[in-house]
Amino acid sequence: MTFARGDGLPGVDAENPIALTVTGRVSRADVPDLCARLERALTAPRGAAPAPGAVADCDVGGVVRPDLALVDAVARLALVARRSGHTLRLRRVPPELRALLDLVGLADVVALAQEPEEPDQRKEAGAGPALTPGEG
């Protein structure tokens, strides 16, 4: 598991970015370090504390096999953010993690970023190829 403070997430406030990137497999032993890193980012990223109410973005697109340990980490990160007067927003959330967050009731507590859809995902289900005149 790796995690780092990122600098280029789309949609992150450029003047006051609060970003945490979580990749790999997250274990329960990783949770305290993740929370400490977010707490440091919320108290003084780049020497200045973020404005109250600023959103803390957490990119979870690189996690491997989302499970309840990751859900626990998300819940604790959300608590750290809330205690600092901020909101945690997850970015690039895998479908498995979305399902787990829904299952345990955290989908209403943690903000999930609306990512732009891939062109293939916008196609209507069941729509076949268009027929040209004279075909069929």
Side-chain angles (χ1 to χ4, degrees):
M1 188 229 27
T2 57
F3 43 89
R5 186 152 178 247
D7 284 328
L9 290 177
V12 176
D13 181 3
E15 289 184 24
N16 208 3
I18 306 166
L20 185 68
T21 302
V22 181
T23 60
R25 176 95 187 211
V26 176
S27 71
R28 293 197 188 277
D30 298 320
V31 175
D33 193 34
L34 281 170
C35 291
R37 287 175 182 257
L38 180 60
E39 194 168 343
R40 282 192 301 271
L42 291 171
T43 55
R46 297 191 182 152
V55 175
D57 283 303
C58 182
D59 182 346
V60 292
V63 296
V64 177
R65 293 181 43 197
D67 58 10
L68 290 178
L70 179 58
V71 170
D72 180 44
V74 167
R76 291 177 187 239
L77 289 169
L79 185 60
V80 167
R82 184 175 291 186
R83 285 181 177 165
S84 299
H86 305 285
T87 302
L88 182 70
R89 177 174 54 195
L90 298 180
R91 294 192 164 278
R92 299 187 334 122
V93 182
E96 301 88 356
L97 180 56
R98 282 184 189 269
L100 284 171
L101 292 172
D102 283 336
L103 182 68
V104 299
L106 283 178
D108 296 333
V109 176
V110 178
L112 302 177
Q114 296 298 321
E115 304 295 334
E117 291 185 34
E118 296 294 321
D120 292 338
Q121 293 175 345
R122 283 185 243 158
K123 291 181 182 176
E124 291 184 35
L131 296 177
T132 58
E135 291 183 355

